[in-house]
Amino acid sequence: MRTHRRTRFLATALTALTAVGVLAGCSRAETSAAPAANQGAAGEVRLGFFPNVTHAPALIGVKQGFFAKELGSTKLTTQTFNAGPEEVNALLGNSLDVAFIGSGPAINAFAKSAGTIQLVSGSVSGGAQLVVKPDITGVDQLAGKNLTTPQLANTQDVALKKFLAGRKLTDQVKITTMDNPKTLDAFKKGEVDGGWLPEPWSSRLVLDAGAKVLVDEKSLWPQGRFPTTVVIVRSQFLQQHPDTVRALLQGQLAAIDWAKANPAEAKTVVNGELKELAGSSLGPAVLDRAFSGIELAPDPIAAEFPQLARDSVTAGVAKSAVALKGFADFGPLNDVLKARGRPAVTAPDLTK
């Protein structure tokens, strides 16, 4: 069974949960509790993701029934979010079990939860760009401009702030956080000069609003690969229901394999989900451009996470880099990969 709970209906509850005392209480409670024993398949699993092209495996997994098939009798309940920080609040508030999320908020969730949120898989690489007005032809021309990111401390927010810090532009550029659809409208009205955005929003600004690409984030990473979307889970849920987590990862891998074998149909499915969840679909050119910039794969690109943790400090989002030992548990993912004859994921710096 599938249930859509729009983020706006959760706003009041999530705001309350962000209070320091509540979050600290949740973290202390989970940290002090004895390790949970395997209780078999869960009766229900609550899954979060975004209505973005960069969350295509989740959109396809839900719509095409790949998750439901693997979960069997376990009920699947879904929630959608605009950006990672609010999804982290849902995890910390125990109203979500598993989340497709950006790499930056995934690290933040691990830190905020005192280690009781864990990385279990990759999902999507690439698909983020700094797009600006066409008269901005160089990075030095960003001084005095107003750029947007989807949310404070989300993956693109950290990427932009780190980029600006490295070019000594931190105090010269205004950064405004706003929902992606509002960025498109604000750009069209001339209220903002551009934004560091995930797909399909960078493509929408380019093709629907006349923006140009100033920086493709791929150019900033080795081999052009960086973890845009990953899968994280509450550790207690993983300990109590490892079979359910494994089933979700099996569903994700099935969705990825299907999308690669059926690219045209995959785009159609994702576009339909964007219309249902976000209220609008994409034109063919935008859809093609958005998909051309991403790679669907369960590889978490684990080697880049220490750098991502340092980037949060450079960006001013965190005071110190998070110690990532114990951040990842790739046991369920490696079980799934082994069953399909694929190489295991190893990350000694991230696992216990």
Side-chain angles (χ1 to χ4, degrees):
M1 178 179 179
R2 181 181 178 188
T3 304
H4 294 301
R5 305 176 192 169
R6 294 303 179 99
T7 301
R8 60 177 177 270
F9 294 142
L10 294 169
T12 301
L14 290 179
T15 299
L17 286 172
T18 57
V20 173
V22 173
L23 292 181
C26 290
S27 296
R28 284 194 300 268
E30 285 195 81
T31 303
S32 61
N38 186 346
Q39 299 177 8
E44 177 185 20
V45 57
R46 300 163 299 176
L47 178 68
F49 52 89
F50 307 169
N52 282 352
V53 170
T54 51
H55 286 232
L59 298 171
I60 293 168
V62 171
K63 182 63 177 179
Q64 295 299 99
F66 291 114
F67 292 142
K69 178 182 178 182
E70 299 296 340
L71 287 170
S73 62
T74 298
K75 177 184 177 182
L76 176 65
T77 302
T78 63
Q79 298 180 30
T80 58
F81 299 84
N82 175 67
E86 59 190 0
E87 192 173 29
V88 169
N89 289 339
L91 284 162
L92 296 178
N94 198 28
S95 62
L96 202 64
D97 301 311
V98 184
F100 285 78
I101 197 167
S103 52
I107 294 172
N108 190 40
F110 176 71
K112 275 190 171 184
S113 70
T116 61
I117 302 292
Q118 289 182 288
L119 172 71
V120 292
S121 179
S123 186
V124 173
S125 169
Q129 298 175 323
L130 172 59
V131 295
V132 296
K133 290 180 177 178
D135 59 347
I136 300 175
T137 58
V139 173
D140 58 317
Q141 294 177 359
L142 294 176
K145 298 299 190 290
N146 182 9
L147 303 177
T148 72
T149 62
Q151 194 171 40
L152 180 66
N154 96 309
T155 304
Q156 288 76 46
D157 189 63
V158 170
L160 174 58
K161 290 175 178 175
K162 186 245 183 169
F163 179 81
L164 295 175
R167 287 147 184 84
K168 302 186 186 306
L169 288 169
T170 298
D171 297 328
Q172 300 180 53
V173 177
K174 180 181 179 181
I175 299 177
T176 302
T177 59
M178 62 176 65
D179 290 355
N180 293 315
K182 293 181 180 179
T183 290
L184 177 62
D185 293 336
F187 185 84
K188 286 180 176 180
K189 294 175 182 177
E191 297 171 353
V192 299
D193 299 294
W196 200 294
L197 304 171
E199 292 293 3
W201 298 102
S202 56
S203 288
R204 290 208 64 181
L205 261 70
V206 169
L207 296 179
D208 293 346
K212 62 173 286 186
V213 177
L214 188 63
V215 180
D216 189 325
E217 192 169 349
K218 286 183 178 180
S219 67
L220 306 178
W221 292 96
Q223 289 80 52
R225 301 183 74 237
F226 61 98
T228 301
T229 307
V230 297
V231 184
I232 59 176
V233 61
R234 289 190 300 107
S235 300
Q236 186 179 56
F237 188 86
L238 176 58
Q239 291 164 359
Q240 292 177 338
H241 308 292
D243 290 346
T244 300
V245 174
R246 192 176 297 109
L248 278 173
L249 297 180
Q250 287 172 335
Q252 181 195 215
L253 192 54
I256 289 172
D257 288 349
W258 178 85
K260 290 181 176 180
N262 305 276
E265 192 173 355
K267 292 176 186 178
T268 299
V269 170
V270 168
N271 211 16
E273 288 297 273
L274 295 180
K275 183 174 183 180
E276 179 178 346
L277 298 171
S280 62
S281 57
L282 305 175
V286 172
L287 194 63
D288 288 343
R289 185 185 186 281
F291 264 88
S292 70
I294 63 174
E295 176 191 1
L296 277 57
D299 180 4
I301 317 178
E304 304 301 346
F305 274 90
Q307 181 61 55
L308 289 164
R310 292 190 292 270
D311 288 351
S312 291
V313 179
T314 304
V317 171
K319 292 183 179 180
S320 60
V322 176
L324 295 175
K325 198 68 175 178
F327 173 47
D329 184 342
F330 295 131
L333 174 61
N334 284 334
D335 288 344
V336 172
L337 293 173
K338 182 179 179 180
R340 291 175 176 252
R342 301 184 187 183
V345 171
T346 58
D349 293 337
L350 305 186
T351 53
K352 292 181 179 179

